[in-house]
Amino acid sequence: MKNVNRRDFLKLSGSTLIGLTIGGVALRANAAEKVDLEDPTAVALKYVHESKVEGKNCANCLYVKGGEGADWRPCQLFGGKLVAAKGWCSAWQPMS
Ligand code: SF4
């Protein structure tokens, strides 16, 4: 059985750390992505960047989380992707 020496261990740890860091950056990039109108979920929920329903928009929807005051905010139904604060979709629910 081969012993893993300290140098090999450090090389392995370094590669793992780089992999985790790149993975983390990729996850953050996805989370900050704006919802595409062609996105299958957006199409299914009839999402639009500009609400046509008076008094109902993403900024006052139950499913928007974080980003208070921003033009684009994360929506739970879109896996944290950003929706327009003025947007709307058919899943809109009032904040409780
Ligand atoms: Fe906007 Fe709410 Fe639909 Fe998300 S669920 S896109 S916050 S209306």
Side-chain angles (χ1 to χ4, degrees), residues 22-73:
I22 291 170
V25 168
L27 282 176
R28 275 197 298 279
N30 280 341
E33 227 176 80
K34 290 178 182 176
V35 167
D36 189 329
L37 293 175
E38 307 291 314
D39 179 302
T41 307
V43 172
L45 295 179
K46 301 178 174 63
Y47 170 79
V48 288
H49 291 319
E50 189 96 33
S51 176
K52 305 239 183 293
V53 186
E54 197 175 324
K56 296 180 181 180
N57 54 53
C58 295
N60 63 16
C61 173
L62 175 68
Y63 299 113
V64 77
K65 286 285 174 258
E68 283 79 6
D71 290 341
W72 293 86
R73 301 180 59 186

Side-chain angles (χ1 to χ4, degrees), residues 45 47 57-59 61-64 74-78 83-84 87-93:
L45 295 179
Y47 170 79
N57 54 53
C58 295
C61 173
L62 175 68
Y63 299 113
V64 77
C75 171
Q76 292 177 309
L77 294 195
F78 285 91
V83 293
W88 175 90
C89 85
S90 59
W92 183 91
Q93 290 292 314

Side-chain angles (χ1 to χ4, degrees), residues 13-33:
S13 300
S15 307
T16 306
L17 185 63
I18 290 167
L20 287 174
T21 304
I22 291 170
V25 168
L27 282 176
R28 275 197 298 279
N30 280 341
E33 227 176 80

